[in-house]
Amino acid sequence: MKFEDLSKQFQTLQYPIFDPGIFSLEKPIDPETYIVGPGDILSVNIWTSPPLSFTVQVTLEGTAIIPTVGEVSVAGRTLSEAKKSIIQKVKSKYIASEITATLIAPRSFNVTVTGYVLNEGKYKVRSIDRVSNAVMLAFSPVDSLQMVRRATAIDSVNFRKILLKRNGNFINVDLRKYLATGEDKYNPYLLEGDWIFVQRRDPNSFVAIYGAVNKPGVYEFVEGDKLTDIVKIAGGTIESADLENVKIMRLDEEGKLRDKLSVNLKKIFNGENKDINLEAGDRIFIPEERTLKQNYRVTVLGEVSHPGTYPISRNGTMLSELLNEVKPTKYSDLRNAIVIKEAVNNPVVEKIDSLFPLLFLKNFGFPSSDSLYFVNEVSALKDLKFKAIDLFKVVSGVEDYELQDGDLIYIPPKYDNVYVFGQVNNPGFVPYEDG
């Protein structure tokens, strides 16, 4: 069959086969679990000479009508079972031929979403969509007011206790476990007639986990939860986690500490110890194994040949060693250098070149009528923790200074300036010239 003929068949079936969204699959369809239903489109191929190919849509009665062969009941069966029935039926006529059957487009149908959502009602989904897809459709805002409410409403959803009613039975959908494990049973594919009830989160039914996990926070509690379940939901532990000293704290009804459990999570992971059954309100803390191997660094700015950030050790790195690396220029003012403590991310440091000269004047007494400009400028320096350093003594070996993580060393140029303030258009420093 030519591609043009296949295209016409799809148009006749009124199915949006060329919609790119139809192919947005998270993974290939599993024939052992996919349930066939009315609207699915199958391709049945008979490899004779010349080969025959039929595009078949499952009817409303749940059958596949194969030209020249007959009708096969397929609805409600897994795709694997449906393919076997089709092949068996076709072989009754084309005995010596090889027969194949393939799903080429999934069906669409409606499901109902109710409960704690922005918009209750029926929503069109596909057989490759999960419960989570329908829930998100029910949270699609229809006006600006709902747009504002959407984020708050979603935050209040109990994503671990979404009820799916199917054929008279209730299935608990746990989206957090699905994201943690990827297991289909926690977020099943949708079927015709599904009814989804979304519940609001109960603030009194929670489990909190903090410390060395990837997603610390407060999560919904479900009866039967174990410690490893919540660790998985929290994204697992980070490399520096101290798994042998995990703590679980439990409060009584009056908010007082009832139990404090010490747990060796490493042995639970290894299967040496039993998992811990959790209770509503449990708070879990997984400590980190801190090491002293950190990113210690200092920054050097100003009148030097090689400004920038330099790695140092935790202690014992001396300023004299760093000066050999940065190389002050012949224009540097070694006697008036400063070391600023805890300078990382301090916005004032970015303007240190312009603000530095004010350090020489900040203790001067200026008349209130003339000091407004100066006060505004000096106020930017009030939060800086700095120490004056005479680098001339460091260079000459008379004294030295031990550097600390986050230090910023500023070596100024030699300033020949006069500070002018008061009734002038441009108060501030101006260059001094002899005479």
Side-chain angles (χ1 to χ4, degrees):
M1 179 178 290
K2 295 181 180 179
F3 178 81
E4 291 79 5
D5 296 332
L6 186 63
S7 171
K8 289 178 181 178
Q9 282 202 27
F10 282 123
Q11 292 172 7
T12 302
L13 292 169
Q14 296 182 340
Y15 199 89
I17 189 63
F18 296 114
D19 178 4
I22 203 69
F23 295 111
S24 58
L25 298 175
E26 60 185 53
K27 60 181 179 181
I29 288 174
D30 183 0
E32 301 298 330
T33 59
Y34 182 88
I35 304 299
V36 176
D40 280 333
I41 299 178
L42 306 170
S43 176
V44 179
N45 301 283
I46 306 169
W47 302 103
T48 59
S49 182
L52 299 174
S53 180
F54 302 106
T55 301
V56 178
Q57 186 174 40
V58 179
T59 67
L60 296 178
E61 294 182 357
T63 62
I65 301 175
I66 305 168
T68 75
V69 175
E71 193 173 14
V72 183
S73 178
V74 293
R77 300 183 180 185
T78 66
L79 179 58
S80 179
E81 293 170 342
K83 290 166 72 171
K84 288 178 182 178
S85 296
I86 290 172
I87 291 171
Q88 185 178 2
K89 182 75 173 179
V90 175
K91 274 189 172 292
S92 64
K93 180 173 182 179
Y94 297 90
I95 300 174
S97 302
E98 181 184 353
I99 315 297
T100 60
T102 306
L103 176 70
I104 57 176
R107 66 193 182 277
S108 297
F109 50 85
N110 291 329
V111 297
T112 303
V113 185
T114 63
Y116 186 70
V117 293
L118 285 183
N119 299 293
E120 295 181 308
K122 293 185 180 296
Y123 290 92
K124 185 177 181 179
V125 296
R126 301 170 300 178
S127 54
I128 55 174
D129 288 330
R130 298 180 183 272
V131 171
S132 55
N133 298 105
V135 172
M136 287 300 101
L137 288 174
F139 274 97
S140 299
V142 296
D143 54 39
S144 57
L145 179 60
Q146 287 192 349
M147 180 71 75
V148 174
R149 289 180 49 210
R150 184 176 185 271
T152 303
I154 289 178
D155 285 343
S156 300
V157 170
N158 190 336
F159 286 107
R160 301 199 59 203
K161 288 185 178 179
I162 296 174
L163 295 180
L164 171 62
K165 185 179 180 181
R166 176 178 291 175
N167 300 325
N169 299 316
F170 284 92
I171 302 170
N172 186 70
V173 176
D174 189 334
L175 297 186
R176 295 202 188 277
K177 269 197 175 180
Y178 170 71
L179 292 175
T181 65
E183 295 184 37
D184 291 343
K185 64 181 180 180
Y186 296 122
N187 186 20
Y189 289 104
L190 294 166
L191 293 176
E192 291 87 345
D194 279 352
W195 181 87
I196 301 163
F197 179 71
V198 179
Q199 302 184 74
R200 189 175 182 179
R201 179 187 290 197
D202 181 355
N204 297 313
S205 181
F206 70 91
V207 176
I209 183 167
Y210 303 106
V213 291
N214 288 299
K215 297 187 296 181
V218 181
Y219 297 96
E220 305 92 331
F221 172 76
V222 174
E223 198 66 41
D225 274 343
K226 298 185 181 297
L227 175 58
T228 56
D229 293 329
I230 301 303
V231 171
K232 288 178 183 177
I233 288 174
T237 58
I238 63 177
E239 281 188 48
S240 60
D242 182 1
L243 300 180
E244 298 180 358
N245 293 290
V246 176
K247 306 295 181 186
I248 301 177
M249 282 157 280
R250 290 174 175 167
L251 304 181
D252 60 20
E253 295 301 322
E254 296 181 353
K256 297 177 181 178
L257 185 64
R258 173 165 61 89
D259 290 309
K260 187 174 183 180
L261 308 179
S262 295
V263 180
N264 190 325
L265 185 57
K266 184 176 182 179
K267 287 190 175 182
I268 294 177
F269 283 157
N270 292 337
E272 299 175 44
N273 288 352
K274 288 185 177 180
D275 210 343
I276 303 296
N277 291 314
L278 297 179
E279 299 179 5
D282 279 355
R283 291 168 299 161
I284 305 157
F285 178 70
I286 301 178
E288 291 185 55
E289 292 180 330
R290 287 288 186 178
T291 70
L292 296 179
K293 186 188 289 186
Q294 304 293 335
N295 184 24
Y296 305 112
R297 64 203 184 280
V298 296
T299 301
V300 184
L301 298 177
E303 198 62 41
V304 293
S305 298
H306 306 295
T309 299
Y310 289 81
I312 63 169
S313 59
R314 180 172 177 267
N315 52 36
T317 300
M318 307 306 293
L319 181 54
S320 57
E321 301 173 34
L322 187 63
L323 291 180
N324 293 329
E325 298 285 336
V326 302
K327 299 187 184 323
T329 71
K330 63 180 180 179
Y331 302 106
S332 62
D333 185 357
L334 295 179
R335 294 190 182 278
N336 289 301
I338 59 171
V339 176
I340 302 176
K341 310 298 295 181
E342 302 171 10
V344 179
N345 299 325
N346 192 319
V348 176
V349 171
E350 298 176 5
K351 302 192 298 179
I352 191 63
D353 283 312
S354 60
L355 294 176
F356 178 80
L358 295 171
L359 294 173
F360 295 119
L361 300 173
K362 74 187 193 74
N363 293 321
F364 282 21
F366 289 88
S368 59
S369 59
D370 294 326
S371 61
L372 182 60
Y373 169 82
F374 178 77
V375 169
N376 289 337
E377 288 291 289
V378 172
S379 63
L381 301 169
K382 65 182 180 181
D383 294 327
L384 288 184
K385 301 175 183 178
F386 64 88
K387 177 178 181 179
I389 299 287
D390 187 343
L391 291 184
F392 186 79
K393 292 182 179 180
V394 175
V395 171
S396 60
V398 175
E399 60 183 47
D400 211 340
Y401 178 82
E402 185 176 307
L403 298 171
Q404 303 294 327
D405 182 39
D407 283 353
L408 182 138
I409 299 95
Y410 179 71
I411 304 176
K414 292 177 181 176
Y415 284 102
D416 290 320
N417 292 325
V418 175
Y419 189 76
V420 181
F421 63 96
Q423 302 305 309
V424 292
N425 288 321
N426 296 299
F429 287 98
V430 296
Y432 167 79
E433 296 180 7
D434 288 341

